[in-house]
Amino acid sequence: MDGNEFIYEADKNSTILEDGSFTWKAPSNIALVKYWGKRNVQLPENPSISFTLSNCFTETTLEFKKNKREAKVTRLDDEVGGLSATAIEQYHEFDVFLDGERKPEFKKKIGVFLRRIIGVIPFICDYDLVIRTHNSFPHSSGIASSASGMAALSLCIMSMERALNPSISDELFYKKASLLARLGSGSAARSIKGELVVWGKHEHIQGSSDQYGVAFPHKVHENFKNYQDTILLVDKGEKVVSSTVGHNLMHGHPFAQQRFAQANKNLSKLSEILQNGNLEEFVNLVESEALTLHAMMMTSNPYFILMKPNTLQIIDKIWKFRKETGSHVCFTLDAGANVHVLFPAKEKVLVNDFIARELVDFCQKNEYISDSVGTGAKQM
């Protein structure tokens, strides 16, 4: 798709939209091949692939009402990474609520997002907005809510566009939703569709793009159907280093180019694994990717460690259990201390017993979340 196709323009089928609301539920996701490092604006330095989750989601309602003000605008060329964009000097009003409570601290991030998308969604300037959002997981649980939150908000905005322009195709609707979500949070590009989503241009993934996520295009082996993800909440506090800062530290990183090449190779390997069902190779690649992500953090300048002692204890327990039982349970990590325990659905009883018996004690307040691969966002 040419980038200009994403820029909204009213046509002969356009309608008038004075006020209303839309609600979407969008899932979180867990990357198997990790994205770490980005260039302007919110474009990935390497491709990634993720499982879409089912139980960890954000539900967002966007209320909108047409305003009477005229925005002063300035044209920019690079705001959305290759797409023309507009920044406004005086932005319209919007409010943000989490579980019914006004959250002024969220407004800065959402304000940046809204300014970034104006070039492709110019009609957003014509409306005052109220954003009401709810996470299915505790906000302080240490699970990044930005991916699911920005995906849900982007889909609500796309529902506004569809109401204004009913002729928009489903393909453009979802690709553009992913593009918008990416401008709010990079990994949010992977929280629109499921079950497996690729974000970032890759020579062996047809249709892949740096601008938006696409569904994994090949038939997935039965071994990976209904895959399980139990999230062990090791540390529910705020991260010492934000993801944005961490990504930026890949600029000038001594191992950055090798890492980007490795991610491309690993995505090629994982594509084959997902099709042939080789669980042993899946375990090895996914765990290696998780540890490589944290190795990049530990070798940046400044360097940092987000894993906690209990993170390492859990990893050691998983390795011992796998060796003793022949299970295909494995772990992956995001940019934090929590551990995602991945395992095939056929091992659910075996691994759940292991988690309850040996791993829960390493979780903060013994808390964890049982999840599995889902099918993507849904309009409510």
Side-chain angles (χ1 to χ4, degrees), residues 83-258:
L83 300 176
S84 62
T86 307
I88 66 172
E89 296 171 4
Q90 292 182 330
Y91 199 63
H92 59 267
E93 292 295 320
F94 70 94
D95 242 327
V96 188
F97 294 82
L98 175 65
D99 295 324
E101 182 180 347
R102 182 178 273 107
K103 290 290 182 180
E105 63 268 32
F106 291 179
K107 293 188 73 171
K108 181 178 179 180
K109 184 178 179 72
I110 293 176
V112 170
F113 165 67
L114 291 173
R115 286 191 292 275
R116 281 177 175 166
I117 70 173
I118 291 168
V120 287
I121 306 285
F123 63 79
I124 202 72
C125 297
D126 298 332
Y127 296 90
D128 292 334
L129 309 174
V130 177
I131 301 162
R132 302 186 188 277
T133 191
H134 161 75
N135 297 322
S136 66
F137 47 91
H139 180 66
S140 61
S141 67
I143 300 173
S145 58
S146 57
S148 53
M150 287 299 180
L153 177 56
S154 297
L155 285 158
C156 290
I157 292 171
M158 285 307 301
S159 287
M160 289 181 67
E161 175 165 342
R162 174 165 274 171
L164 288 164
N165 182 9
S167 63
I168 186 173
S169 68
D170 282 348
E171 179 186 14
L172 181 57
F173 179 96
Y174 286 107
K175 283 184 176 180
K176 188 170 177 178
S178 180
L179 181 148
L180 296 182
R182 184 226 344 139
L183 293 172
S185 171
S187 57
R190 302 190 307 253
S191 280
I192 302 296
K193 287 286 195 177
E195 304 168 346
L196 284 150
V197 179
V198 176
W199 172 44
K201 183 67 178 175
H202 189 275
E203 61 179 343
H204 296 146
I205 304 295
Q206 185 177 0
S208 60
S209 171
D210 289 347
Q211 297 283 3
Y212 48 80
V214 298
F216 182 66
H218 305 294
K219 185 177 181 181
V220 177
H221 194 278
E222 279 298 314
N223 284 347
F224 299 107
K225 295 294 185 180
N226 195 31
Y227 222 74
Q228 303 294 297
D229 178 10
T230 296
I231 306 154
L232 305 181
L233 304 180
V234 173
D235 183 9
K236 300 195 296 180
E238 292 290 328
K239 288 187 291 188
V240 177
V241 178
S242 72
S243 294
T244 297
V245 171
H247 282 290
N248 288 339
L249 289 173
M250 289 298 283
H251 299 301
H253 193 294
F255 308 128
Q257 296 307 314
Q258 295 94 321

Side-chain angles (χ1 to χ4, degrees), residues 25 157 175 199 230 281 312 324 353:
K25 182 171 77 172
I157 292 171
K175 283 184 176 180
W199 172 44
T230 296
E281 291 185 1
L312 298 176
E324 291 169 358
D353 178 67

Side-chain angles (χ1 to χ4, degrees), residues 228-232 339-341 343 352 355 368-371:
Q228 303 294 297
D229 178 10
T230 296
I231 306 154
L232 305 181
V339 181
H340 289 250
V341 184
F343 51 97
N352 280 344
I355 291 169
Y368 63 96
I369 299 172
S370 295
D371 211 334

